[in-house]
Amino acid sequence: MNLYIITGTTQGLGKALAAQVGESADNELITLGRSPDAPVRGGAHLGVDLADTKALEEVCDRIELRIRGKRYAKAVLVNNAGVVSPVGPIEKADGAELERNLAVNLVAPMLLMRRFLRATEGVALLRRIINISSGAGRRPIAGWAAYCAAKAGLDMATRTIALDCEARHKPVEVVSLAPGVIDTQMQGVVRSAEVADFPDLERFKELHAQGQLRNADDVARDILRLESEGRLAGEPVADLREVAARGAAAAR
Ligand SMILES: NC(=O)c1ccc[n+]([C@@H]2O[C@H](COP(=O)([O-])OP(=O)(O)OC[C@H]3O[C@@H](n4cnc5c(N)ncnc54)[C@H](OP(=O)(O)O)[C@@H]3O)[C@@H](O)[C@H]2O)c1
């Protein structure tokens, strides 16, 4: 049996990942997000606002109780939930929204990694963490200070945790993965910004108009296939398109 814990599964990439993980009877699925507790195919959804640190620690206690005494072939944490807002120059940003961005995109994934590594030690033969990052963490985009900073922080946290695991001979695979541009609600938020706040607006509108956004189901399928083939290991900061292309080239 494999354990998957996935955040942000109400829509977009997270929804597609959860649906595909839930299809296999070999997988136990725990999803985390703001909607109330509910059963899901393959497991359970636990309600939590990831920006609320106390609530997040409590939901981690609940996960520990759920998995206590079980043994898994593989345990995988996917930190997928994300938020792009606030968009615009920092002096115009709402302070609480800015803080919320960093909480959801950076603090929550770090707290979840901390609790996941503790809870799954000796419980799963193989452990993997996939942090859904962004190209925006690797180059600045005007108007996205919080999002770029949070994703850059997530990349660096991933690199550091990979080193920690290696130094302590813990066989944990950790990757911060930029998924490419996906046709989700987040891109809708991006396109609804004012050009004065977001100078790259036209470029994102063009990508959409030219049909260059990938479908969330296809991206989820690629991530889960590469994960199951063990191909997300190696580089702690990676780009899905490059990993997939390397695989395709090797197969030729
Ligand atoms: N779309 C792209 O082009 C793109 C490109 C690069 C990277 N990414 C990354 O890919 C990941 C998925 O993005 P997406 O495009 O699928 O976004 P999305 O459609 O906006 O979905 C975001 C998910 O995160 C959840 N979430 C946001 N704030 C939350 C909170 N405080 N507590 C719990 N859940 C919360 C949302 O739940 P609610 O329904 O409760 O809001 C939703 O399920 C993100 O990490 C994003 O940064 C996306």
Side-chain angles (χ1 to χ4, degrees):
M1 198 73 181
N2 306 310
L3 171 68
Y4 283 81
I5 302 170
I6 308 177
T7 66
T9 54
T10 54
Q11 57 183 10
L13 179 59
K15 184 176 182 181
L17 286 166
Q20 290 175 30
V21 165
E23 279 168 10
S24 168
D26 290 337
N27 296 335
E28 176 181 341
L29 173 65
I30 298 175
T31 63
L32 301 179
R34 283 186 287 198
S35 53
D37 284 14
V40 294
R41 189 166 179 207
H45 172 80
L46 305 181
V48 62
D49 181 342
L50 294 169
D52 181 341
T53 302
K54 186 167 172 288
L56 183 54
E57 294 288 1
E58 283 167 6
V59 93
C60 289
D61 294 341
R62 294 179 63 200
I63 294 173
E64 281 187 18
L65 279 176
R66 287 185 73 90
I67 68 175
R68 184 167 292 167
K70 295 188 184 171
R71 288 287 175 271
Y72 298 97
K74 177 171 82 177
V76 184
L77 168 66
V78 187
N79 277 310
N80 164 79
V83 56
V84 70
S85 304
V87 173
I90 197 159
E91 64 272 27
K92 279 179 69 180
D94 176 78
E97 198 180 23
L98 196 155
E99 200 177 333
R100 198 170 173 78
N101 180 305
L102 294 170
V104 174
N105 290 325
L106 179 58
V107 179
M110 290 188 72
L111 291 174
L112 280 166
M113 284 192 274
R114 166 182 177 271
R115 293 294 300 263
F116 174 83
L117 288 174
R118 286 184 181 194
T120 56
E121 173 106 55
V123 167
L125 292 175
L126 176 61
R127 297 187 290 166
R128 291 187 169 132
I129 298 173
I130 302 171
N131 294 320
I132 304 298
S133 183
S134 169
R138 298 164 197 178
R139 64 188 172 84
I141 297 181
W144 287 9
Y147 186 72
C148 289
K151 293 296 190 182
L154 187 61
D155 283 356
M156 186 53 92
T158 308
R159 290 169 65 184
T160 310
I161 290 163
L163 271 186
D164 287 337
C165 291
E166 194 184 309
R168 296 166 67 213
H169 307 292
K170 287 188 189 291
V172 184
E173 295 172 5
V174 196
V175 68
S176 195
L177 188 69
V181 192
I182 319 165
D183 195 3
T184 65
Q185 180 62 33
M186 184 176 281
Q187 284 293 323
V189 172
V190 167
R191 288 193 303 275
S192 69
E194 299 289 329
V195 73
D197 289 337
F198 179 47
D200 273 359
L201 180 63
E202 274 315 309
R203 186 166 68 83
F204 279 85
K205 282 187 170 173
E206 267 170 34
L207 284 176
H208 181 247
Q210 291 166 1
Q212 293 199 30
L213 273 58
R214 288 193 73 203
N215 178 286
D217 289 325
D218 294 342
V219 176
R221 198 164 294 109
D222 281 353
I223 292 173
L224 293 172
R225 177 176 50 80
L226 294 169
E227 181 274 312
S228 68
E229 291 170 358
R231 300 234 312 272
L232 295 179
E235 288 299 318
V237 173
D239 186 298
L240 179 64
R241 293 155 293 190
E242 288 168 13
V243 180
R246 272 202 296 276
R252 280 199 290 272

